[in-house]
């Protein structure tokens, strides 16, 4: 028996096929091979055509089926991971009305801020756990105000993963976890966020049927099975946003466990069993994949926009011919603290952790007589880690304390400096795994379909590649460097 995982990103769509009995990866592929197009008609806008996701899914799936040569009837279920916060609108015929306004589009920020003031900040936070901000509901309000003819055609709205599930089964559905990431779920009343819908002036009728995150929510329709080369016996049994799904991929399901990623942007995602929120919404609280009203599991998410993109920028600046491995070797020659250089990595737009301020990236403490390339390269990696630490201190105030941090061994976690600095400053053990979002979605499908009887069974063969322990002898050096970095940040945000 096999399980399929789809990961619908804004850069590409990845498909992975795993064996159900041992979790082994059979085949995987992604499309497009270059980054997927994002349309920006104005500064701060970002749109993608949902049909583009579907097209790339088909291409990647074709590769997987051709490589694996498995019988379609052997594929038990499909799980879906997807880029969070996107808005997909369809009419009564399930046709897409306009391109999706995706996660990195910032046009609705002022709309969310206005609703926060009108509804009342405390009421928003105690019910929604977040400010409406620039999330999905606020994006829909922007359409209502600016494209009324489009809005009038809306039958249902969905998150990107809901759209893919609809294409597979013909059923428009969503989940509490998905609704919470769009700030459309009232945790206090355990129902749709009517207080926000009323403020924005649209009916909750536009929300599709709510199904569990792990559930047999439908089988492939005849048309989808034919189009994809799959069987109508295959179930769609799991969907989640990319960061909750990344946590699932790493078996981060219990309070106190932390999942992190450090690609172009970086995320620290901690699980709590208490309904808490940051009063300033610098970190955001959503329903985790295993959340229920009686047994709450909340995911507290810290996002730093400027992480791997800083490292990539430095690579371009010093010469494309230099590899990341060579950059790490240069950085390793510099001491902890980089002899006084601090790098604030906030050069990729407004940062939520800084109250949505865009301060840009700042390099300070450079001495032309002593500093070399390695000092700057190390300071950049330390600056990324320190931005994580800064956000983790906010998370600690709402009960998220890191003892173990889990991550895929990829992107910035390939760097010994990065992972050793994170372990050293957080005093947490770092566990690195061989997994990704599409494989995690496949495992989630196995849970949702009932193929796996428990999470423990689903992750019994998760492959741990490396463990990084904090080095107590270096703690004081990391702390001194962090305090210097934090001083530069405080100067920048005054």
């Amino acid at each position: 028996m096999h399980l399929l995982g789809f990961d619908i990103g804004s850069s590409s769509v990845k498909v992975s096929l795993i064996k159900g009995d041992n979790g082994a990866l059979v085949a995987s592929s992604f499309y497009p091979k270059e980054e997927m197009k994002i349309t920006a008609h104005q500064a701060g806008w970002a749109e993608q055509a949902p049909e583009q996701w579907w097209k790339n899914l088909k291409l990647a799936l074709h590769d997987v089926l051709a490589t694996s040569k498995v019988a379609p009837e052997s594929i038990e279920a499909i799980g879906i991971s997807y880029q969070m916060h996107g808005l997909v609108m369809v009419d009564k015929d399930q046709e897409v009305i306009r391109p999706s306004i995706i996660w990195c589009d910032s046009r609705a920020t002022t709309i969310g801020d206005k609703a926060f003031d009108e509804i009342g900040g405390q009421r928003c936070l105690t019910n929604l756990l977040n400010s409406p901000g620039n999330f999905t509901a606020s994006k829909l309000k922007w359409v209502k105000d600016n494209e009324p003819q489009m809005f009038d055609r809306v039958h249902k709205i969905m998150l990107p993963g809901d759209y893919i599930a609809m294409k597979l089964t013909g059923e428009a559905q969503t989940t509490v976890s998905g609704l919470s990431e769009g700030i459309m779920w009232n945790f206090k009343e355990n129902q749709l966020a009517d207080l926000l819908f009323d403020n924005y002036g649209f009916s909750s009728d536009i929300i599709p049927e709510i199904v569990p995150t792990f559930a047999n929510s439908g089988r492939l329709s005849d048309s989808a099975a034919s189009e994809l080369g799959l069987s109508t016996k295959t179930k769609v049994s799991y969907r989640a946003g990319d960061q909750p799904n990344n946590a699932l991929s790493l078996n981060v399901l219990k309070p106190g466990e932390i999942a992190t990623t450090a690609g172009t942007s970086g995320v620290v995602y901690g699980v709590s069993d208490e309904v808490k929120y940051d009063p300033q919404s610098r970190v955001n609280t959503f329903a985790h994949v295993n959340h229920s009203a009686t047994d709450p599991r909340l995911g507290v998410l810290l996002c730093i926009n400027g992480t791997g993109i800083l490292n990539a920028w430095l690579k371009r600046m010093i010469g494309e011919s230099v590899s990341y491995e060579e950059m790490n070797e240069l950085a390793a020659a510099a001491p902890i603290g980089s002899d006084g250089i601090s790098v604030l990595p906030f050069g990729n737009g407004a940062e939520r952790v800084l109250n949505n301020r865009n301060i840009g990236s700042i390099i300070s403490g450079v001495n032309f007589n002593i500093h070399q390339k390695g000092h700057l390269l190390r300071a950049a990696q330390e600056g990324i880690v320190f931005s994580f630490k800064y956000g983790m201190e906010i998370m600690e105030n709402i009960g998220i304390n890191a003892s173990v941090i889990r991550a895929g061994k990829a992107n910035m976690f390939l760097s010994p400096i990065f992972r050793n600095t994170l372990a050293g400053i957080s005093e947490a053990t770092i566990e690195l795994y061989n997994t990704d979002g599409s494989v995690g979605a496949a495992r989630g499908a196995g849970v949702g379909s009932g193929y796996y009887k428990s999470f423990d069974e689903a992750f019994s063969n998760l492959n741990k590649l490396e463990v990084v322990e904090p080095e107590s002898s270096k703690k004081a050096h990391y702390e001194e460097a962090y305090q210097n970095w934090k001083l530069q940040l405080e100067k920048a945000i005054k």
Side-chain angles (χ1 to χ4, degrees), residues 300-320:
V300 179
L301 186 149
L302 160 72
C303 181
I304 304 293
N305 292 335
T307 55
I309 193 171
L310 166 60
N311 214 34
W313 179 80
L314 283 171
K315 186 175 187 295
R316 292 195 301 273
M317 294 302 103
I318 66 175
E320 292 285 359

Side-chain angles (χ1 to χ4, degrees), residues 1-5 16-27 61 64-65 67-79 230-231 233-235 237 439 441-447 449 451-452:
M1 195 64 68
H2 296 86
L3 300 163
L4 264 176
S16 289
L17 181 73
I18 68 171
K19 288 184 178 180
D21 58 355
N22 61 12
L25 180 65
V26 177
L61 177 60
V64 166
L65 295 178
T67 300
S68 66
K69 296 182 170 56
V70 301
E73 293 76 15
S74 75
I75 299 174
E76 163 82 6
I78 294 171
L230 296 175
S231 168
K233 295 180 180 179
T234 299
K235 307 162 190 171
S237 54
V439 172
R443 291 181 188 268
V447 174
S449 70
Y451 179 81
Y452 298 128

Side-chain angles (χ1 to χ4, degrees), residues 337-359:
S338 304
D339 283 332
I341 296 182
S342 289
V343 176
L344 304 183
F346 307 116
N348 193 29
E351 294 282 0
R352 195 177 305 155
V353 74
L354 302 180
N355 297 110
N356 293 316
R357 296 175 68 178
N358 186 354
I359 67 170

